[in-house]
């Protein structure tokens, strides 16, 4: 199984988490690339069975939360029909409905969303590690090896 992390990041946290997730998955035997939504590695994506899509939380901190620059994510996310997908968001205080909204964007691109995980920005490393642990427990990584 191969993976691709696609992230939308304004100040770098979601990018940092995305690269940590890619490194840890690669170390666990799931070769994974991480790229921003503005420069998706289409060749890696075409070979990937697993797509992890991340975004930051935009809102007024406790209300109206949504994926940051969701419109751009919607228009730029390539078709990922038939691929397993996991979403994550980074946030400061409360991510509200961000993950559910991101799930809908990814499902509309054809992804088979099997999970979501919110990562608090003051513990990106811990959040990335837990996401990878849960992902490896939930997904059969030998499936398409
Ligand atoms: C304009 C703006 C709005 C934000 N709104 C929220 C919010 O409603 N709730 C929250 O928990 N964090 C909010 N945040 C914090 C970011 O989601 C958080 O810092 C995130 O990790 C940023 O990711 P990035 O560095 O990849 O851009 C907001 C940040 C910005 C810049």
């Amino acid at each position: 199984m191969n993976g691709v992390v696609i992230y939308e990041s304004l100040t770098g946290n979601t990018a940092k988490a995305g690269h940590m997730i890619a490194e840890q998955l690669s170390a666990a035997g799931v070769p994974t690339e991480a790229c921003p939504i503005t420069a998706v590695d289409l060749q890696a994506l075409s070979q990937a069975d697993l797509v992890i899509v991340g975004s930051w939380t935009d809102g007024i901190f406790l209300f109206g939360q949504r994926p940051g620059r969701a419109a751009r994510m919607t228009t730029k996310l390539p078709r990922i029909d038939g691929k397993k997908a996991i979403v994550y968001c980074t946030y400061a205080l409360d991510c509200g409905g961000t993950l559910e909204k991101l799930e809908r964007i990814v499902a509309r691109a054809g992804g088979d969303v099997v999970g979501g995980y919110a990562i608090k920005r003051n513990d990106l490393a811990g959040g990335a590690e837990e996401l990878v642990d849960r992902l490896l427990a939930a997904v059969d990584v030998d499936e398409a090896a």
Side-chain angles (χ1 to χ4, degrees), residues 8-15 56-63 65 90-95 121:
E8 154 60 43
S9 186
L10 183 67
T11 61
N13 296 334
T14 316
W56 52 284
T57 299
D58 188 9
I60 44 174
F61 284 86
L62 294 175
F63 302 98
Q65 296 97 327
T90 64
Y91 69 101
L93 284 179
D94 182 347
C95 68
R121 72 177 178 191

mmCIF file with all atom_site columns, all heavy atoms in Angstrom, residues 8-15 56-63 65 90-95 121, ligand 1:
data_model
loop_
_atom_site.group_PDB
_atom_site.id
_atom_site.type_symbol
_atom_site.label_atom_id
_atom_site.label_alt_id
_atom_site.label_comp_id
_atom_site.label_asym_id
_atom_site.label_entity_id
_atom_site.label_seq_id
_atom_site.pdbx_PDB_ins_code
_atom_site.Cartn_x
_atom_site.Cartn_y
_atom_site.Cartn_z
_atom_site.occupancy
_atom_site.B_iso_or_equiv
_atom_site.pdbx_formal_charge
_atom_site.auth_seq_id
_atom_site.auth_comp_id
_atom_site.auth_asym_id
_atom_site.auth_atom_id
_atom_site.pdbx_PDB_model_num
ATOM   1   N N   . GLU A 1 8   ? -3.677  21.556 3.326  1.00 0.00 ? 8   GLU A N   1
ATOM   2   C CA  . GLU A 1 8   ? -3.896  23.004 3.164  1.00 0.00 ? 8   GLU A CA  1
ATOM   3   C C   . GLU A 1 8   ? -3.385  23.642 4.454  1.00 0.00 ? 8   GLU A C   1
ATOM   4   O O   . GLU A 1 8   ? -3.813  23.261 5.548  1.00 0.00 ? 8   GLU A O   1
ATOM   5   C CB  . GLU A 1 8   ? -5.407  23.249 2.970  1.00 0.00 ? 8   GLU A CB  1
ATOM   6   C CG  . GLU A 1 8   ? -5.927  24.615 3.382  1.00 0.00 ? 8   GLU A CG  1
ATOM   7   C CD  . GLU A 1 8   ? -5.294  25.785 2.639  1.00 0.00 ? 8   GLU A CD  1
ATOM   8   O OE1 . GLU A 1 8   ? -5.117  25.693 1.421  1.00 0.00 ? 8   GLU A OE1 1
ATOM   9   O OE2 . GLU A 1 8   ? -4.959  26.786 3.309  1.00 0.00 ? 8   GLU A OE2 1
ATOM   10  N N   . SER A 1 9   ? -2.432  24.552 4.328  1.00 0.00 ? 9   SER A N   1
ATOM   11  C CA  . SER A 1 9   ? -1.799  25.120 5.522  1.00 0.00 ? 9   SER A CA  1
ATOM   12  C C   . SER A 1 9   ? -1.567  26.610 5.337  1.00 0.00 ? 9   SER A C   1
ATOM   13  O O   . SER A 1 9   ? -1.054  27.032 4.305  1.00 0.00 ? 9   SER A O   1
ATOM   14  C CB  . SER A 1 9   ? -0.465  24.392 5.756  1.00 0.00 ? 9   SER A CB  1
ATOM   15  O OG  . SER A 1 9   ? 0.132   24.798 6.954  1.00 0.00 ? 9   SER A OG  1
ATOM   16  N N   . LEU A 1 10  ? -1.949  27.401 6.323  1.00 0.00 ? 10  LEU A N   1
ATOM   17  C CA  . LEU A 1 10  ? -1.737  28.856 6.234  1.00 0.00 ? 10  LEU A CA  1
ATOM   18  C C   . LEU A 1 10  ? -0.431  29.251 6.922  1.00 0.00 ? 10  LEU A C   1
ATOM   19  O O   . LEU A 1 10  ? 0.380   29.967 6.355  1.00 0.00 ? 10  LEU A O   1
ATOM   20  C CB  . LEU A 1 10  ? -2.928  29.587 6.878  1.00 0.00 ? 10  LEU A CB  1
ATOM   21  C CG  . LEU A 1 10  ? -2.919  31.110 6.829  1.00 0.00 ? 10  LEU A CG  1
ATOM   22  C CD1 . LEU A 1 10  ? -3.077  31.606 5.386  1.00 0.00 ? 10  LEU A CD1 1
ATOM   23  C CD2 . LEU A 1 10  ? -4.052  31.692 7.691  1.00 0.00 ? 10  LEU A CD2 1
ATOM   24  N N   . THR A 1 11  ? -0.225  28.766 8.148  1.00 0.00 ? 11  THR A N   1
ATOM   25  C CA  . THR A 1 11  ? 0.966   29.190 8.903  1.00 0.00 ? 11  THR A CA  1
ATOM   26  C C   . THR A 1 11  ? 1.952   28.042 9.161  1.00 0.00 ? 11  THR A C   1
ATOM   27  O O   . THR A 1 11  ? 2.912   28.212 9.909  1.00 0.00 ? 11  THR A O   1
ATOM   28  C CB  . THR A 1 11  ? 0.558   29.844 10.248 1.00 0.00 ? 11  THR A CB  1
ATOM   29  O OG1 . THR A 1 11  ? -0.156  28.893 11.040 1.00 0.00 ? 11  THR A OG1 1
ATOM   30  C CG2 . THR A 1 11  ? -0.325  31.060 10.033 1.00 0.00 ? 11  THR A CG2 1
ATOM   31  N N   . GLY A 1 12  ? 1.705   26.867 8.577  1.00 0.00 ? 12  GLY A N   1
ATOM   32  C CA  . GLY A 1 12  ? 2.696   25.792 8.615  1.00 0.00 ? 12  GLY A CA  1
ATOM   33  C C   . GLY A 1 12  ? 2.384   24.600 9.507  1.00 0.00 ? 12  GLY A C   1
ATOM   34  O O   . GLY A 1 12  ? 3.015   23.551 9.363  1.00 0.00 ? 12  GLY A O   1
ATOM   35  N N   . ASN A 1 13  ? 1.427   24.727 10.422 1.00 0.00 ? 13  ASN A N   1
ATOM   36  C CA  . ASN A 1 13  ? 1.172   23.606 11.343 1.00 0.00 ? 13  ASN A CA  1
ATOM   37  C C   . ASN A 1 13  ? 0.652   22.360 10.617 1.00 0.00 ? 13  ASN A C   1
ATOM   38  O O   . ASN A 1 13  ? 1.094   21.239 10.891 1.00 0.00 ? 13  ASN A O   1
ATOM   39  C CB  . ASN A 1 13  ? 0.135   24.000 12.404 1.00 0.00 ? 13  ASN A CB  1
ATOM   40  C CG  . ASN A 1 13  ? 0.611   25.109 13.306 1.00 0.00 ? 13  ASN A CG  1
ATOM   41  O OD1 . ASN A 1 13  ? 1.806   25.284 13.490 1.00 0.00 ? 13  ASN A OD1 1
ATOM   42  N ND2 . ASN A 1 13  ? -0.321  25.869 13.870 1.00 0.00 ? 13  ASN A ND2 1
ATOM   43  N N   . THR A 1 14  ? -0.293  22.580 9.737  1.00 0.00 ? 14  THR A N   1
ATOM   44  C CA  . THR A 1 14  ? -0.917  21.434 9.051  1.00 0.00 ? 14  THR A CA  1
ATOM   45  C C   . THR A 1 14  ? 0.093   20.774 8.107  1.00 0.00 ? 14  THR A C   1
ATOM   46  O O   . THR A 1 14  ? 0.107   19.546 7.950  1.00 0.00 ? 14  THR A O   1
ATOM   47  C CB  . THR A 1 14  ? -2.179  21.895 8.298  1.00 0.00 ? 14  THR A CB  1
ATOM   48  O OG1 . THR A 1 14  ? -2.928  22.764 9.161  1.00 0.00 ? 14  THR A OG1 1
ATOM   49  C CG2 . THR A 1 14  ? -3.058  20.719 7.914  1.00 0.00 ? 14  THR A CG2 1
ATOM   50  N N   . ALA A 1 15  ? 0.969   21.609 7.526  1.00 0.00 ? 15  ALA A N   1
ATOM   51  C CA  . ALA A 1 15  ? 2.042   21.065 6.687  1.00 0.00 ? 15  ALA A CA  1
ATOM   52  C C   . ALA A 1 15  ? 2.992   20.216 7.531  1.00 0.00 ? 15  ALA A C   1
ATOM   53  O O   . ALA A 1 15  ? 3.347   19.090 7.157  1.00 0.00 ? 15  ALA A O   1
ATOM   54  C CB  . ALA A 1 15  ? 2.803   22.212 6.025  1.00 0.00 ? 15  ALA A CB  1
ATOM   55  N N   . TRP A 1 56  ? -6.410  23.256 8.150  1.00 0.00 ? 56  TRP A N   1
ATOM   56  C CA  . TRP A 1 56  ? -6.476  23.991 9.412  1.00 0.00 ? 56  TRP A CA  1
ATOM   57  C C   . TRP A 1 56  ? -7.927  24.377 9.663  1.00 0.00 ? 56  TRP A C   1
ATOM   58  O O   . TRP A 1 56  ? -8.767  24.306 8.766  1.00 0.00 ? 56  TRP A O   1
ATOM   59  C CB  . TRP A 1 56  ? -5.559  25.208 9.386  1.00 0.00 ? 56  TRP A CB  1
ATOM   60  C CG  . TRP A 1 56  ? -5.723  26.144 8.225  1.00 0.00 ? 56  TRP A CG  1
ATOM   61  C CD1 . TRP A 1 56  ? -5.281  25.938 6.942  1.00 0.00 ? 56  TRP A CD1 1
ATOM   62  C CD2 . TRP A 1 56  ? -6.374  27.418 8.224  1.00 0.00 ? 56  TRP A CD2 1
ATOM   63  N NE1 . TRP A 1 56  ? -5.608  27.011 6.154  1.00 0.00 ? 56  TRP A NE1 1
ATOM   64  C CE2 . TRP A 1 56  ? -6.274  27.940 6.908  1.00 0.00 ? 56  TRP A CE2 1
ATOM   65  C CE3 . TRP A 1 56  ? -7.015  28.194 9.188  1.00 0.00 ? 56  TRP A CE3 1
ATOM   66  C CZ2 . TRP A 1 56  ? -6.796  29.189 6.545  1.00 0.00 ? 56  TRP A CZ2 1
ATOM   67  C CZ3 . TRP A 1 56  ? -7.525  29.433 8.823  1.00 0.00 ? 56  TRP A CZ3 1
ATOM   68  C CH2 . TRP A 1 56  ? -7.426  29.915 7.529  1.00 0.00 ? 56  TRP A CH2 1
ATOM   69  N N   . THR A 1 57  ? -8.186  24.774 10.917 1.00 0.00 ? 57  THR A N   1
ATOM   70  C CA  . THR A 1 57  ? -9.536  25.171 11.316 1.00 0.00 ? 57  THR A CA  1
ATOM   71  C C   . THR A 1 57  ? -9.671  26.685 11.192 1.00 0.00 ? 57  THR A C   1
ATOM   72  O O   . THR A 1 57  ? -8.868  27.426 11.750 1.00 0.00 ? 57  THR A O   1
ATOM   73  C CB  . THR A 1 57  ? -9.777  24.762 12.786 1.00 0.00 ? 57  THR A CB  1
ATOM   74  O OG1 . THR A 1 57  ? -9.664  23.342 12.876 1.00 0.00 ? 57  THR A OG1 1
ATOM   75  C CG2 . THR A 1 57  ? -11.144 25.221 13.271 1.00 0.00 ? 57  THR A CG2 1
ATOM   76  N N   . ASP A 1 58  ? -10.677 27.110 10.433 1.00 0.00 ? 58  ASP A N   1
ATOM   77  C CA  . ASP A 1 58  ? -10.988 28.527 10.295 1.00 0.00 ? 58  ASP A CA  1
ATOM   78  C C   . ASP A 1 58  ? -12.322 28.781 10.977 1.00 0.00 ? 58  ASP A C   1
ATOM   79  O O   . ASP A 1 58  ? -13.231 27.947 10.888 1.00 0.00 ? 58  ASP A O   1
ATOM   80  C CB  . ASP A 1 58  ? -11.070 28.880 8.804  1.00 0.00 ? 58  ASP A CB  1
ATOM   81  C CG  . ASP A 1 58  ? -11.194 30.374 8.565  1.00 0.00 ? 58  ASP A CG  1
ATOM   82  O OD1 . ASP A 1 58  ? -11.045 31.162 9.518  1.00 0.00 ? 58  ASP A OD1 1
ATOM   83  O OD2 . ASP A 1 58  ? -11.424 30.752 7.401  1.00 0.00 ? 58  ASP A OD2 1
ATOM   84  N N   . GLY A 1 59  ? -12.446 29.895 11.669 1.00 0.00 ? 59  GLY A N   1
ATOM   85  C CA  . GLY A 1 59  ? -13.706 30.210 12.319 1.00 0.00 ? 59  GLY A CA  1
ATOM   86  C C   . GLY A 1 59  ? -13.513 31.376 13.256 1.00 0.00 ? 59  GLY A C   1
ATOM   87  O O   . GLY A 1 59  ? -12.532 32.112 13.135 1.00 0.00 ? 59  GLY A O   1
ATOM   88  N N   . ILE A 1 60  ? -14.449 31.531 14.180 1.00 0.00 ? 60  ILE A N   1
ATOM   89  C CA  . ILE A 1 60  ? -14.223 32.558 15.192 1.00 0.00 ? 60  ILE A CA  1
ATOM   90  C C   . ILE A 1 60  ? -13.988 31.874 16.538 1.00 0.00 ? 60  ILE A C   1
ATOM   91  O O   . ILE A 1 60  ? -14.617 32.129 17.527 1.00 0.00 ? 60  ILE A O   1
ATOM   92  C CB  . ILE A 1 60  ? -15.334 33.626 15.234 1.00 0.00 ? 60  ILE A CB  1
ATOM   93  C CG1 . ILE A 1 60  ? -16.714 32.966 15.160 1.00 0.00 ? 60  ILE A CG1 1
ATOM   94  C CG2 . ILE A 1 60  ? -15.156 34.635 14.117 1.00 0.00 ? 60  ILE A CG2 1
ATOM   95  C CD1 . ILE A 1 60  ? -17.862 33.936 15.346 1.00 0.00 ? 60  ILE A CD1 1
ATOM   96  N N   . PHE A 1 61  ? -13.083 30.933 16.486 1.00 0.00 ? 61  PHE A N   1
ATOM   97  C CA  . PHE A 1 61  ? -12.545 30.143 17.595 1.00 0.00 ? 61  PHE A CA  1
ATOM   98  C C   . PHE A 1 61  ? -13.516 29.180 18.253 1.00 0.00 ? 61  PHE A C   1
ATOM   99  O O   . PHE A 1 61  ? -13.209 28.009 18.336 1.00 0.00 ? 61  PHE A O   1
ATOM   100 C CB  . PHE A 1 61  ? -11.739 31.018 18.569 1.00 0.00 ? 61  PHE A CB  1
ATOM   101 C CG  . PHE A 1 61  ? -10.413 31.321 17.924 1.00 0.00 ? 61  PHE A CG  1
ATOM   102 C CD1 . PHE A 1 61  ? -10.268 32.389 17.049 1.00 0.00 ? 61  PHE A CD1 1
ATOM   103 C CD2 . PHE A 1 61  ? -9.345  30.452 18.087 1.00 0.00 ? 61  PHE A CD2 1
ATOM   104 C CE1 . PHE A 1 61  ? -9.078  32.608 16.363 1.00 0.00 ? 61  PHE A CE1 1
ATOM   105 C CE2 . PHE A 1 61  ? -8.146  30.663 17.403 1.00 0.00 ? 61  PHE A CE2 1
ATOM   106 C CZ  . PHE A 1 61  ? -8.012  31.743 16.554 1.00 0.00 ? 61  PHE A CZ  1
ATOM   107 N N   . LEU A 1 62  ? -14.708 29.614 18.668 1.00 0.00 ? 62  LEU A N   1
ATOM   108 C CA  . LEU A 1 62  ? -15.624 28.618 19.241 1.00 0.00 ? 62  LEU A CA  1
ATOM   109 C C   . LEU A 1 62  ? -16.866 28.426 18.383 1.00 0.00 ? 62  LEU A C   1
ATOM   110 O O   . LEU A 1 62  ? -17.701 27.582 18.688 1.00 0.00 ? 62  LEU A O   1
ATOM   111 C CB  . LEU A 1 62  ? -16.012 29.010 20.671 1.00 0.00 ? 62  LEU A CB  1
ATOM   112 C CG  . LEU A 1 62  ? -14.852 28.970 21.673 1.00 0.00 ? 62  LEU A CG  1
ATOM   113 C CD1 . LEU A 1 62  ? -15.283 29.478 23.034 1.00 0.00 ? 62  LEU A CD1 1
ATOM   114 C CD2 . LEU A 1 62  ? -14.288 27.549 21.823 1.00 0.00 ? 62  LEU A CD2 1
ATOM   115 N N   . PHE A 1 63  ? -16.982 29.193 17.297 1.00 0.00 ? 63  PHE A N   1
ATOM   116 C CA  . PHE A 1 63  ? -18.177 29.103 16.456 1.00 0.00 ? 63  PHE A CA  1
ATOM   117 C C   . PHE A 1 63  ? -17.809 29.089 14.971 1.00 0.00 ? 63  PHE A C   1
ATOM   118 O O   . PHE A 1 63  ? -16.780 29.640 14.592 1.00 0.00 ? 63  PHE A O   1
ATOM   119 C CB  . PHE A 1 63  ? -19.110 30.305 16.702 1.00 0.00 ? 63  PHE A CB  1
ATOM   120 C CG  . PHE A 1 63  ? -19.542 30.431 18.128 1.00 0.00 ? 63  PHE A CG  1
ATOM   121 C CD1 . PHE A 1 63  ? -18.903 31.305 18.981 1.00 0.00 ? 63  PHE A CD1 1
ATOM   122 C CD2 . PHE A 1 63  ? -20.581 29.645 18.625 1.00 0.00 ? 63  PHE A CD2 1
ATOM   123 C CE1 . PHE A 1 63  ? -19.281 31.418 20.311 1.00 0.00 ? 63  PHE A CE1 1
ATOM   124 C CE2 . PHE A 1 63  ? -20.957 29.750 19.956 1.00 0.00 ? 63  PHE A CE2 1
ATOM   125 C CZ  . PHE A 1 63  ? -20.311 30.640 20.806 1.00 0.00 ? 63  PHE A CZ  1
ATOM   126 N N   . GLN A 1 65  ? -16.782 26.965 12.830 1.00 0.00 ? 65  GLN A N   1
ATOM   127 C CA  . GLN A 1 65  ? -15.528 26.388 12.345 1.00 0.00 ? 65  GLN A CA  1
ATOM   128 C C   . GLN A 1 65  ? -15.735 25.613 11.038 1.00 0.00 ? 65  GLN A C   1
ATOM   129 O O   . GLN A 1 65  ? -16.746 24.956 10.847 1.00 0.00 ? 65  GLN A O   1
ATOM   130 C CB  . GLN A 1 65  ? -14.935 25.442 13.393 1.00 0.00 ? 65  GLN A CB  1
ATOM   131 C CG  . GLN A 1 65  ? -14.540 26.126 14.680 1.00 0.00 ? 65  GLN A CG  1
ATOM   132 C CD  . GLN A 1 65  ? -15.608 26.017 15.738 1.00 0.00 ? 65  GLN A CD  1
ATOM   133 O OE1 . GLN A 1 65  ? -16.802 26.008 15.434 1.00 0.00 ? 65  GLN A OE1 1
ATOM   134 N NE2 . GLN A 1 65  ? -15.211 25.921 16.984 1.00 0.00 ? 65  GLN A NE2 1
ATOM   135 N N   . THR A 1 90  ? -5.926  20.620 11.989 1.00 0.00 ? 90  THR A N   1
ATOM   136 C CA  . THR A 1 90  ? -5.222  21.181 13.143 1.00 0.00 ? 90  THR A CA  1
ATOM   137 C C   . THR A 1 90  ? -6.065  22.348 13.648 1.00 0.00 ? 90  THR A C   1
ATOM   138 O O   . THR A 1 90  ? -6.814  22.960 12.888 1.00 0.00 ? 90  THR A O   1
ATOM   139 C CB  . THR A 1 90  ? -3.786  21.629 12.802 1.00 0.00 ? 90  THR A CB  1
ATOM   140 O OG1 . THR A 1 90  ? -3.839  22.700 11.862 1.00 0.00 ? 90  THR A OG1 1
ATOM   141 C CG2 . THR A 1 90  ? -2.974  20.485 12.243 1.00 0.00 ? 90  THR A CG2 1
ATOM   142 N N   . TYR A 1 91  ? -5.956  22.619 14.935 1.00 0.00 ? 91  TYR A N   1
ATOM   143 C CA  . TYR A 1 91  ? -6.798  23.652 15.535 1.00 0.00 ? 91  TYR A CA  1
ATOM   144 C C   . TYR A 1 91  ? -6.112  24.211 16.778 1.00 0.00 ? 91  TYR A C   1
ATOM   145 O O   . TYR A 1 91  ? -5.157  23.611 17.300 1.00 0.00 ? 91  TYR A O   1
ATOM   146 C CB  . TYR A 1 91  ? -8.189  23.082 15.883 1.00 0.00 ? 91  TYR A CB  1
ATOM   147 C CG  . TYR A 1 91  ? -8.162  22.087 17.019 1.00 0.00 ? 91  TYR A CG  1
ATOM   148 C CD1 . TYR A 1 91  ? -8.549  22.466 18.310 1.00 0.00 ? 91  TYR A CD1 1
ATOM   149 C CD2 . TYR A 1 91  ? -7.708  20.777 16.826 1.00 0.00 ? 91  TYR A CD2 1
ATOM   150 C CE1 . TYR A 1 91  ? -8.504  21.556 19.368 1.00 0.00 ? 91  TYR A CE1 1
ATOM   151 C CE2 . TYR A 1 91  ? -7.660  19.871 17.873 1.00 0.00 ? 91  TYR A CE2 1
ATOM   152 C CZ  . TYR A 1 91  ? -8.056  20.267 19.139 1.00 0.00 ? 91  TYR A CZ  1
ATOM   153 O OH  . TYR A 1 91  ? -8.002  19.375 20.178 1.00 0.00 ? 91  TYR A OH  1
ATOM   154 N N   . ALA A 1 92  ? -6.662  25.354 17.269 1.00 0.00 ? 92  ALA A N   1
ATOM   155 C CA  . ALA A 1 92  ? -6.103  25.980 18.469 1.00 0.00 ? 92  ALA A CA  1
ATOM   156 C C   . ALA A 1 92  ? -6.921  25.626 19.708 1.00 0.00 ? 92  ALA A C   1
ATOM   157 O O   . ALA A 1 92  ? -6.368  25.200 20.724 1.00 0.00 ? 92  ALA A O   1
ATOM   158 C CB  . ALA A 1 92  ? -6.059  27.495 18.285 1.00 0.00 ? 92  ALA A CB  1
ATOM   159 N N   . LEU A 1 93  ? -8.236  25.804 19.631 1.00 0.00 ? 93  LEU A N   1
ATOM   160 C CA  . LEU A 1 93  ? -9.088  25.669 20.819 1.00 0.00 ? 93  LEU A CA  1
ATOM   161 C C   . LEU A 1 93  ? -10.188 24.632 20.651 1.00 0.00 ? 93  LEU A C   1
ATOM   162 O O   . LEU A 1 93  ? -10.465 23.853 21.548 1.00 0.00 ? 93  LEU A O   1
ATOM   163 C CB  . LEU A 1 93  ? -9.786  27.009 21.102 1.00 0.00 ? 93  LEU A CB  1
ATOM   164 C CG  . LEU A 1 93  ? -8.974  28.121 21.721 1.00 0.00 ? 93  LEU A CG  1
ATOM   165 C CD1 . LEU A 1 93  ? -9.856  29.348 21.897 1.00 0.00 ? 93  LEU A CD1 1
ATOM   166 C CD2 . LEU A 1 93  ? -8.408  27.689 23.082 1.00 0.00 ? 93  LEU A CD2 1
ATOM   167 N N   . ASP A 1 94  ? -10.868 24.679 19.507 1.00 0.00 ? 94  ASP A N   1
ATOM   168 C CA  . ASP A 1 94  ? -12.037 23.825 19.286 1.00 0.00 ? 94  ASP A CA  1
ATOM   169 C C   . ASP A 1 94  ? -12.264 23.756 17.782 1.00 0.00 ? 94  ASP A C   1
ATOM   170 O O   . ASP A 1 94  ? -12.462 24.797 17.146 1.00 0.00 ? 94  ASP A O   1
ATOM   171 C CB  . ASP A 1 94  ? -13.248 24.462 19.987 1.00 0.00 ? 94  ASP A CB  1
ATOM   172 C CG  . ASP A 1 94  ? -14.504 23.625 19.870 1.00 0.00 ? 94  ASP A CG  1
ATOM   173 O OD1 . ASP A 1 94  ? -14.519 22.671 19.056 1.00 0.00 ? 94  ASP A OD1 1
ATOM   174 O OD2 . ASP A 1 94  ? -15.477 23.931 20.573 1.00 0.00 ? 94  ASP A OD2 1
ATOM   175 N N   . CYS A 1 95  ? -12.207 22.557 17.217 1.00 0.00 ? 95  CYS A N   1
ATOM   176 C CA  . CYS A 1 95  ? -12.317 22.468 15.749 1.00 0.00 ? 95  CYS A CA  1
ATOM   177 C C   . CYS A 1 95  ? -13.769 22.362 15.285 1.00 0.00 ? 95  CYS A C   1
ATOM   178 O O   . CYS A 1 95  ? -14.037 22.343 14.080 1.00 0.00 ? 95  CYS A O   1
ATOM   179 C CB  . CYS A 1 95  ? -11.463 21.336 15.200 1.00 0.00 ? 95  CYS A CB  1
ATOM   180 S SG  . CYS A 1 95  ? -12.033 19.707 15.654 1.00 0.00 ? 95  CYS A SG  1
ATOM   181 N N   . ARG A 1 121 ? -2.809  22.179 17.895 1.00 0.00 ? 121 ARG A N   1
ATOM   182 C CA  . ARG A 1 121 ? -1.574  22.745 17.325 1.00 0.00 ? 121 ARG A CA  1
ATOM   183 C C   . ARG A 1 121 ? -0.406  22.774 18.304 1.00 0.00 ? 121 ARG A C   1
ATOM   184 O O   . ARG A 1 121 ? 0.744   22.913 17.884 1.00 0.00 ? 121 ARG A O   1
ATOM   185 C CB  . ARG A 1 121 ? -1.836  24.137 16.757 1.00 0.00 ? 121 ARG A CB  1
ATOM   186 C CG  . ARG A 1 121 ? -2.061  25.215 17.795 1.00 0.00 ? 121 ARG A CG  1
ATOM   187 C CD  . ARG A 1 121 ? -2.246  26.566 17.139 1.00 0.00 ? 121 ARG A CD  1
ATOM   188 N NE  . ARG A 1 121 ? -2.503  27.590 18.142 1.00 0.00 ? 121 ARG A NE  1
ATOM   189 C CZ  . ARG A 1 121 ? -2.900  28.815 17.870 1.00 0.00 ? 121 ARG A CZ  1
ATOM   190 N NH1 . ARG A 1 121 ? -3.111  29.183 16.604 1.00 0.00 ? 121 ARG A NH1 1
ATOM   191 N NH2 . ARG A 1 121 ? -3.107  29.684 18.825 1.00 0.00 ? 121 ARG A NH2 1
HETATM 192 C C1  . LIG B 2 .   ? -8.151  33.224 10.492 1.00 0.00 ? 1   LIG B C1  1
HETATM 193 C C2  . LIG B 2 .   ? -7.988  32.102 11.482 1.00 0.00 ? 1   LIG B C2  1
HETATM 194 C C3  . LIG B 2 .   ? -9.099  31.569 12.106 1.00 0.00 ? 1   LIG B C3  1
HETATM 195 C C4  . LIG B 2 .   ? -8.962  30.534 13.027 1.00 0.00 ? 1   LIG B C4  1
HETATM 196 N N1  . LIG B 2 .   ? -10.079 30.029 13.630 1.00 0.00 ? 1   LIG B N1  1
HETATM 197 C C5  . LIG B 2 .   ? -9.956  29.025 14.524 1.00 0.00 ? 1   LIG B C5  1
HETATM 198 C C6  . LIG B 2 .   ? -11.122 28.491 15.175 1.00 0.00 ? 1   LIG B C6  1
HETATM 199 O O1  . LIG B 2 .   ? -12.252 28.921 14.944 1.00 0.00 ? 1   LIG B O1  1
HETATM 200 N N2  . LIG B 2 .   ? -10.953 27.494 16.083 1.00 0.00 ? 1   LIG B N2  1
HETATM 201 C C7  . LIG B 2 .   ? -9.701  26.984 16.387 1.00 0.00 ? 1   LIG B C7  1
HETATM 202 O O2  . LIG B 2 .   ? -9.617  26.086 17.229 1.00 0.00 ? 1   LIG B O2  1
HETATM 203 N N3  . LIG B 2 .   ? -8.596  27.440 15.762 1.00 0.00 ? 1   LIG B N3  1
HETATM 204 C C8  . LIG B 2 .   ? -8.688  28.455 14.848 1.00 0.00 ? 1   LIG B C8  1
HETATM 205 N N4  . LIG B 2 .   ? -7.567  28.945 14.227 1.00 0.00 ? 1   LIG B N4  1
HETATM 206 C C9  . LIG B 2 .   ? -6.253  28.350 14.536 1.00 0.00 ? 1   LIG B C9  1
HETATM 207 C C10 . LIG B 2 .   ? -5.734  27.467 13.418 1.00 0.00 ? 1   LIG B C10 1
HETATM 208 O O3  . LIG B 2 .   ? -6.701  26.548 12.951 1.00 0.00 ? 1   LIG B O3  1
HETATM 209 C C11 . LIG B 2 .   ? -4.519  26.677 13.906 1.00 0.00 ? 1   LIG B C11 1
HETATM 210 O O4  . LIG B 2 .   ? -3.528  27.590 14.329 1.00 0.00 ? 1   LIG B O4  1
HETATM 211 C C12 . LIG B 2 .   ? -3.971  25.772 12.831 1.00 0.00 ? 1   LIG B C12 1
HETATM 212 O O5  . LIG B 2 .   ? -3.061  24.872 13.385 1.00 0.00 ? 1   LIG B O5  1
HETATM 213 C C13 . LIG B 2 .   ? -3.297  26.573 11.724 1.00 0.00 ? 1   LIG B C13 1
HETATM 214 O O6  . LIG B 2 .   ? -2.814  25.654 10.784 1.00 0.00 ? 1   LIG B O6  1
HETATM 215 P P1  . LIG B 2 .   ? -1.728  26.117 9.692  1.00 0.00 ? 1   LIG B P1  1
HETATM 216 O O7  . LIG B 2 .   ? -0.512  26.552 10.470 1.00 0.00 ? 1   LIG B O7  1
HETATM 217 O O8  . LIG B 2 .   ? -1.506  24.906 8.884  1.00 0.00 ? 1   LIG B O8  1
HETATM 218 O O9  . LIG B 2 .   ? -2.337  27.235 8.904  1.00 0.00 ? 1   LIG B O9  1
HETATM 219 C C14 . LIG B 2 .   ? -7.677  29.997 13.328 1.00 0.00 ? 1   LIG B C14 1
HETATM 220 C C15 . LIG B 2 .   ? -6.553  30.543 12.692 1.00 0.00 ? 1   LIG B C15 1
HETATM 221 C C16 . LIG B 2 .   ? -6.706  31.576 11.784 1.00 0.00 ? 1   LIG B C16 1
HETATM 222 C C17 . LIG B 2 .   ? -5.479  32.129 11.097 1.00 0.00 ? 1   LIG B C17 1
#
